[in-house]
Structure formats: structure tokens, C-alpha cells
Amino acid sequence: MQISFAPPASVEAGALVLGVFADGVLSTAAAAVDKRSKGALSRALKAAPKFKGSRDETLALYGVAGADQIVLFGLGKPEEVDAVRLQRAGGTVAALLNQAGIGTATAQLEGIAIAGQGAGAAAAEFAFGARLRAWRFERYRTKEKPEAKPALKGLAVQTGDAAAAKKAFARADAVAQGVFLTRELVSEPANILHPESFAAKAKELADVGVEVEILGEKQMRKLGMGALLGVGQGSARESQLVVLQWKGAGGKRKDEAPIAFVGKGVTFDTGGISLKPGQGMWDMKWDMGGAGVVTGLFKALALRKAKVNAVGVLGLVENMPAGDAQRPGDIVTSMSGQTIEVWNTDAEGRLVLADALWYTQDRFKPKAMVNLATLTGAVIIALGTDHAGLFANDDALAEKLAAAGKAVEEKLWRLPLADAYDKQIDSDIADMKNITGSRDAGSIIGGQFLQRFVNKVPWAHLDIAGTTWSSKDTPTVPKGATAFGVRLLDRFVTDNYEG
């Protein structure tokens, strides 16, 4: 879908898209159309009493006010209009236009603004939402009815400051490209995306200026990464550790310590010898969601030339049952030197992250470190699919992440870490065990385990098991891979680390 920006002008072809505020109050552009049509829009609104102009509402009109199609979208109260609300509006409109089979549309946004920002900002956010919703994973579709294919090919957004809108959208579109890379990675089946092919895909980020380094099993063995390597030893695929570096600070900040992001990348998780039930196991292709988010984030940072030094580390493994697979009861030695008794081979993500986190803090000495992982089913029981779990050893870092999540509508909920939980993973014969043997506080126990490998660096763990994949459409996310975390972390970097 092509998106363009232009000053207000008459619309000769395609659908006309107009905004409406709460209680049916017309935006400036909609009021102008209503006036020219001698009240046609007002009459149409009276005939559709369910449409109130509330957030996420849409109304399609045909043959009204001299246009073939008019689409009205709701925004709620004018003072409540913000970036997220406009993104949701853009996404909702894009979905309606595609479903209706409309190929081109023009959105007239005069009179719609974000408090304290110019006219161009609202237009850019609307277009950003449309872009996010219009994405589709089509690689393996060979037969599809024409009416099922996306119809919308072009969206023109008219605003009083088209130049500013175009500039703002260029930055937003860089983030969208990162989101799309993550969605693509998470959507791929495990026979296509395995540790080696994932590493090769990450290597392509070199084309946009990211430094990429790939460590194989031989190198990781020399580093003592027994925890990570133990997870992948039952797979025919070689485990990989990918290191991404974006050095964008520049000037006096050129040598500034980086902010680090670490992702769990289990490209398929059978549970290993602690085999998962067959029902739903197909979902385990997206157990690499944390690594997918870090990869997409670095594409976004590079494309928008973020003024920050950042490091990303991806621990990539495949967890398979085989004659040489890790067994319950095995003891492994992590890179930190700490030993781990593996009570359950399906609690494997924390083993991967144990070595990835230690490697990151030891080599790069980051000012802060954030890891992302589809770590526990327990977080879904606790929080459902609306919030991701947040754990942190630093209150300020936790607050910054929560604020960034709220700003982009990728919400976090902080859960506790405490000595009482930590004692539960002490082992009788090793330094620790990877589960407690009880179902109590499952997500907290996972976070508590990871904390033992961060060495007092300001650190946060995001458990995204409930938010990485969606079974239904939302205004800016079609069902499937969500890329939850890319926009959150991009905003986190923007607000706190780019000066």
C-alpha cells in the first residue's frame, strides 16, 4: 500500500475518509463536506444511531454527498485525541477499506490534531496506524480468492502541513519496517526458520549499518556456555549466538556505554525430553519471539539513524528430544561458572538467557540491559494477553519501560522479585535448579532465575508469552505475530537514551 501526503484538495476518485468526534460532532473536513452536500452527512448520521463518533468506530456510506464511498471514523472527545488513538483510527479504516474492496482512498484530516503538536503529526500517526494494520504474511499462500486479497493499494492523507507529516511519517515508517521484520520472523515455520537461518536473516542487518557477529557452537563452548548449549544438544541444527551493534551516538557520546537488549530465540520448542502435549505445539514456532523483537528493533534503530549506542544479543537454539538430548536431572555449567540442575527441559528459555545475559553484561558493560522472552505460560494465566510481565532489579528502569509501553499501547505490568522466591530455586546438589517443582509463582521464578546472571547491572525482563501472538485482529495488528515490544523499546530508547 502506497501512502502519500498532500494539502487539502477536492477528491476526484476513490473513497473519502473523514473524522467524527464524540456525539457525532463533525471534524472541520467532514463539516465542509456536509455543508457542500446540504447536510447529507448529518442526515446519514441520524440514520445510523449506533455510530456515535467513539474511538475505533467506523461507518461506511455509499452514494452520499456526491461521493461513491465515504468512510467516517470515530475519535471520541477532541481533547482525548493522541497518537495512539489516531493510529488505531488509521488501522481500523485500512481494515474496513480492504474488506470493502476499495482500492484507493483519501483521508481529509483538517481539524484533527494532537494537543501541542502541529497538523502534520496527526496525519503521520493516522498513516502509521494504517501501515501497521495493512501488513500481511503471504509467503506461503498459493491459492486465494480475489475477494480475499487486500484491496487497498493507495492511501492519500490530506493535511494542512503535508511536509511535516511526510517527515514524521518517514521516522514512523522506519519503526514499521522493524515491526514487519519481527512479524515475518515470528510467522515463519520452524522448518524454514531455525537457528542458522535466523542468524543468516539477522546478518542482513549489516546492509542498513548494523554490525553483526555470529558465534557458533565451537566458539560458545570455548566461552563456557554450557547452559545454552545444553538446550540445543538434541537438535540436528547448530545453536547460534548473534551479536548486533548499532553505534549511533556520535560526537562526544561516541564511546558511551550501550543500552543492551537480549532475546530468547528458541526457534522451536518441543519441551525436549519433558515433552509438551501435542495439542497446540504448533504454536511453539514463535518461541523465538524475544529474539525476533530484538532483531526488528535494530532494524528500526538503524533505519531511523537513532542517536544511541545499542547492543543486541540473540540466543538461538532448537529444543528437540533425541538420543543425545538434555535429560531432567542433568547438571550444566553456565558461562558465569554457576551450575544448574535441570529439573525440567521445557524450562529451557531461562537456560539460554542465562548465558546470553552473562555474555552481554560481561563483554559490553551496558548502562542497562533488557531481555525479552516468551518465557512462561504462567504469565498468561496471570495477565492474559493484554499486558506483558515486567520484572526488574531497578525501579527507575521499570518505570521508564512501563511509561514507554503505555505511550505506544504495548502495556506492561510489574511483578515482584524477592529473596523468598529466590530461595526456592536453590538446589541440593548444584548452585540452582531451573524450576521449583511447584506451579506457584511460575513467572516470578523464571525472572528470579534470570536475575542470578545479570551481575547487578540495571536490568529488566519482559515476559511476552501472552502478547507475542494474537488470535484476533486489533486496530493496528492483524491476527498472528504482533511484534509486541518493537515499538515499546523504540520509544524507550527515544525517550531516555538519545539525548
Side-chain angles (χ1 to χ4, degrees):
M1 178 181 66
Q2 295 294 317
I3 293 178
S4 60
F5 299 91
S10 61
V11 177
E12 303 298 331
L16 176 60
V17 179
L18 301 165
V20 180
F21 296 111
D23 300 320
V25 176
L26 300 176
S27 66
T28 301
V33 172
D34 192 49
K35 183 177 180 180
R36 290 197 301 270
S37 63
K38 296 181 172 55
L41 287 188
S42 296
R43 291 192 296 274
L45 287 175
K46 287 181 181 179
K50 289 187 177 181
F51 181 84
K52 302 293 185 182
S54 301
R55 189 189 78 159
D56 298 342
E57 286 187 337
T58 55
L59 178 64
L61 305 172
Y62 298 89
V64 172
D68 291 336
Q69 306 104 1
I70 290 180
V71 174
L72 303 180
F73 63 91
L75 284 167
K77 297 178 181 179
E79 64 271 19
E80 294 176 353
V81 174
D82 59 8
V84 166
R85 188 161 295 201
L86 284 160
Q87 291 163 17
R88 292 176 68 97
T92 303
V93 166
L96 184 152
L97 293 170
N98 268 320
Q99 187 176 19
I102 297 171
T104 61
T106 300
Q108 294 184 335
L109 301 187
E110 304 98 292
I112 298 172
I114 301 171
Q117 300 186 39
E125 298 295 356
F126 181 90
F128 182 41
R131 173 75 90 212
L132 290 172
R133 179 58 190 270
W135 180 87
R136 197 165 180 255
F137 189 68
E138 299 183 299
R139 182 161 299 151
Y140 302 105
R141 297 177 187 269
T142 61
K143 295 180 181 179
E144 190 174 19
K145 293 179 180 179
E147 60 268 25
K149 295 180 179 179
L152 187 61
K153 303 300 182 184
L155 175 64
V157 183
Q158 294 185 356
T159 173
D161 196 343
K166 187 175 181 180
K167 182 178 179 180
F169 181 71
R171 186 191 188 286
D173 202 37
V175 178
Q177 296 311 309
V179 168
F180 298 161
L181 174 57
T182 297
R183 289 181 183 173
E184 176 188 340
L185 291 168
V186 174
S187 298
E188 286 285 8
N191 62 319
I192 302 298
L193 193 78
H194 47 77
E196 296 148 306
S197 59
F198 193 140
K201 190 71 177 176
K203 184 71 174 176
E204 295 176 9
L205 292 178
D207 296 340
V208 293
V210 177
E211 294 181 17
V212 185
E213 188 180 348
I214 301 173
L215 282 65
E217 289 186 353
K218 184 177 180 180
Q219 293 160 292
M220 286 188 279
R221 201 166 285 114
K222 287 183 178 179
L223 289 167
M225 292 187 174
L228 186 154
L229 291 170
V231 175
Q233 71 186 39
S235 173
R237 302 290 187 180
E238 182 174 331
S239 299
Q240 309 275 281
L241 191 81
V242 177
V243 181
L244 309 173
Q245 293 188 69
W246 171 252
K247 299 176 180 177
K252 294 180 180 179
R253 297 173 55 225
K254 181 180 179 181
D255 298 321
E256 189 173 87
I259 175 75
F261 303 95
V262 181
K264 169 191 169 184
V266 180
T267 58
F268 195 79
D269 181 22
T270 65
I273 298 300
S274 304
L275 191 68
K276 291 179 181 292
Q279 181 67 27
M281 197 191 289
W282 45 82
D283 283 342
M284 289 300 97
K285 70 175 187 175
W286 48 257
D287 206 21
M288 39 57 67
V293 169
V294 174
T295 308
L297 171 66
F298 273 73
K299 183 168 187 177
L301 295 177
L303 288 177
R304 69 174 184 80
K305 307 297 181 187
K307 294 178 174 61
V308 68
N309 291 338
V311 169
V313 175
L314 319 176
L316 307 178
V317 303
E318 186 178 56
N319 187 22
M320 300 291 283
D324 54 353
Q326 184 167 257
R327 297 157 292 261
D330 284 1
I331 294 177
V332 295
T333 302
S334 66
M335 184 183 174
S336 71
Q338 299 175 91
T339 56
I340 304 164
E341 183 183 7
V342 181
W343 271 23
N344 190 316
T345 64
D346 194 25
E348 84 300 329
R350 63 199 67 183
L351 300 175
V352 174
L353 288 172
D355 282 339
L357 285 165
W358 189 269
Y359 174 86
T360 303
Q361 62 85 29
D362 185 60
R363 176 179 171 183
F364 295 105
K365 308 297 187 295
K367 61 177 65 178
M369 186 162 59
V370 180
N371 75 255
L372 300 95
T374 50
L375 201 72
T376 65
V379 82
I380 304 175
I381 303 301
L383 300 176
T385 59
D386 193 57
H387 286 72
L390 165 63
F391 303 82
N393 65 359
D394 184 275
D395 291 343
L397 178 60
E399 289 168 6
K400 291 173 183 176
L401 286 163
K406 184 177 181 180
V408 302
E409 208 174 36
E410 293 187 343
K411 294 172 284 187
L412 303 175
W413 190 266
R414 192 176 183 185
L415 294 165
L417 295 171
D419 288 343
Y421 299 112
D422 193 66
K423 291 175 183 177
Q424 295 179 44
I425 57 173
D426 287 340
S427 165
D428 293 338
I429 58 173
D431 294 325
M432 69 193 84
K433 54 197 178 188
N434 70 331
I435 64 167
T436 65
S438 165
R439 296 181 66 185
D440 295 353
S443 299
I444 296 171
I445 295 301
Q448 206 71 58
F449 181 95
L450 296 180
Q451 190 178 30
R452 293 194 178 196
F453 299 91
V454 302
N455 206 18
K456 298 185 179 180
V457 174
W459 156 81
H461 156 52
L462 307 185
D463 192 335
I464 57 173
T467 56
T468 290
W469 192 269
S470 177
S471 60
K472 60 183 180 180
D473 295 328
T474 67
T476 57
V477 183
K479 68 178 181 179
T482 66
F484 181 104
V486 174
R487 295 168 62 202
L488 185 162
L489 294 178
D490 179 77
R491 182 61 178 261
F492 167 70
V493 169
T494 299
D495 289 348
N496 300 288
Y497 297 99
E498 291 193 74

